[in-house]
Amino acid sequence: MQSIIRFLILSLCLSTFGCAFKSVKRSKNISYMQADSKMNLPEKELNIFAPRKAGNYPVLIFYYGGSWKSGKKETYSFLGNRLARRGVVAVIVDYPLNPEYQVPTMEIAATKAVIWTAENIQEYGGNPDQIFVSGHSAGGHLASLVAVKDSNFEKLGKENPLKGAILMDPAGLDMYGYLMETSEGEGKKYTNAFTQDPEIWKQSSPIFFLDQGQIPMLILEGEETYPSIRAGRERFMKVVEEKNLDIKLEIYPKKKHIPMITQFVWTWSRGYDDLLGFIMKRK
């Protein structure tokens, strides 16, 4: 899937006015997590795209999709460029991937990226009090985990600094429910990333960490997304409604899974309207 996304994004970028803009300041390959053999963590880096004009801009941290096993931050420079042109500092994150690493390690990395951003983004024109997370597919799963699990930050001696989350066709909102039904069938392809342990499936499922005081979230879902994504989101939103949480859902008519991210190649897409509207409402 990731190779398809890369091809579509490259084609779309070449067919428009290009993905580079003089009004954007780019800072690339910045290390946010050092290698730690005791915790089995590799060194990982991120790219920052900021408006060239000095300011105190809201910040969006983005985790890409790729079934928890593929992807690279460079593919999403188009998103960083366009967000910076619209007055948002974008942080595009690389994180450990399967099969070498599993979801709990990815979750640690995603959390460390947020902490690094909170402590350093002011140097790049970002407002540390206005940090949001986002991601597509598997990246949406990681974004939702760091949004709902304050325990991740507490283990690292920090407070959750996030103001909100925007999830683009997120996978894995209830990975426990999905794998309990499919781990011997269609879901088996994910058990290497999520392990064979049902307790880890549960700990990696955002649906179990929804509670009062939850930061605001916006879910953007394609009407024609994968059935497993829709089913997990439906279970997730049922809990949201029961607890009356500030989590909104927007369905995109006739949109499939991959177009939910490739739409962001165009600055005039509905995706930007919804994403930026959510951020600006909470400035």
Side-chain angles (χ1 to χ4, degrees):
M1 185 179 74
Q2 190 67 25
S3 60
I4 296 173
I5 292 175
R6 286 198 299 268
F7 174 77
L8 288 174
I9 289 171
L10 178 60
S11 299
L12 290 168
C13 284
L14 291 175
S15 68
T16 56
F17 297 106
C19 290
F21 301 98
K22 293 181 180 179
S23 58
V24 177
K25 183 178 180 180
R26 304 168 187 82
S27 304
K28 297 189 175 183
N29 301 320
I30 301 169
S31 178
Y32 72 87
M33 183 171 73
Q34 300 299 317
D36 186 331
S37 58
K38 291 182 179 179
M39 296 184 66
N40 192 32
L41 296 176
E43 180 179 11
K44 283 297 171 182
E45 299 175 331
L46 51 77
N47 291 342
I48 299 174
F49 300 79
R52 190 166 291 278
K53 183 178 179 180
N56 193 36
Y57 300 100
V59 180
L60 183 75
I61 301 170
F62 180 81
Y63 310 101
Y64 48 72
S67 298
W68 300 276
K69 65 180 181 180
S70 64
K72 58 182 181 179
K73 62 186 186 303
E74 288 75 17
T75 303
Y76 297 87
S77 293
F78 74 94
L79 181 64
N81 283 317
R82 282 155 176 73
L83 285 170
R85 295 231 333 150
R86 301 285 290 271
V88 174
V89 175
V91 181
I92 313 296
V93 179
D94 266 340
Y95 56 90
L97 297 171
N98 197 248
E100 189 173 0
Y101 298 95
Q102 295 173 314
V103 168
T105 301
M106 302 177 201
E107 188 177 341
I108 292 172
T111 304
K112 283 180 172 285
V114 173
I115 292 171
W116 185 95
T117 300
E119 293 177 347
N120 295 277
I121 203 63
Q122 201 162 15
E123 299 176 19
Y124 301 87
N127 184 343
D129 295 322
Q130 291 290 323
I131 299 176
F132 299 80
V133 286
S134 182
H136 172 249
S137 193
H141 167 254
L142 294 176
S144 63
L145 278 178
V146 297
V148 301
K149 291 180 70 173
D150 288 344
S151 59
N152 286 327
F153 296 92
E154 292 167 1
K155 290 175 184 176
L156 296 170
K158 305 291 182 178
E159 292 186 2
N160 188 337
L162 297 174
K163 301 296 285 188
I166 304 101
L167 313 179
M168 306 170 187
D169 229 41
L173 294 179
D174 180 16
M175 206 64 182
Y176 175 81
Y178 174 70
L179 289 176
M180 286 296 288
E181 296 177 356
T182 67
S183 61
E184 297 302 320
E186 68 173 22
K188 190 173 183 179
K189 60 187 174 183
Y190 298 116
T191 55
N192 192 42
F194 282 84
T195 80
Q196 299 285 344
D197 186 352
E199 182 56 32
I200 291 180
W201 305 348
K202 183 173 285 189
Q203 291 298 315
S204 301
S205 295
I207 192 172
F208 294 104
F209 299 92
L210 294 171
D211 210 343
Q212 295 298 327
Q214 176 67 55
I215 67 169
M217 298 174 71
L218 173 64
I219 299 175
L220 310 179
E221 182 180 295
E223 183 182 39
E224 299 181 9
T225 190
Y226 300 127
S228 60
I229 287 179
R230 183 183 306 111
R233 185 270 303 162
E234 288 174 349
R235 294 192 295 272
F236 184 86
M237 289 304 295
K238 184 178 180 180
V239 176
V240 168
E241 292 168 5
E242 291 171 351
K243 296 188 175 185
N244 193 30
L245 304 179
D246 187 7
I247 299 178
K248 308 300 182 185
L249 170 67
E250 294 289 342
I251 300 294
Y252 284 50
K254 300 182 180 180
K255 273 278 195 289
K256 295 184 178 181
H257 183 63
I258 293 176
M260 284 301 295
I261 183 62
T262 56
Q263 68 173 309
F264 286 91
V265 169
W266 288 282
T267 57
W268 54 87
S269 72
R270 176 185 169 184
Y272 280 112
D273 291 341
D274 287 337
L275 184 153
L276 293 170
F278 178 86
I279 290 175
M280 297 309 168
K281 185 178 178 180
R282 290 161 178 82
K283 283 186 64 176

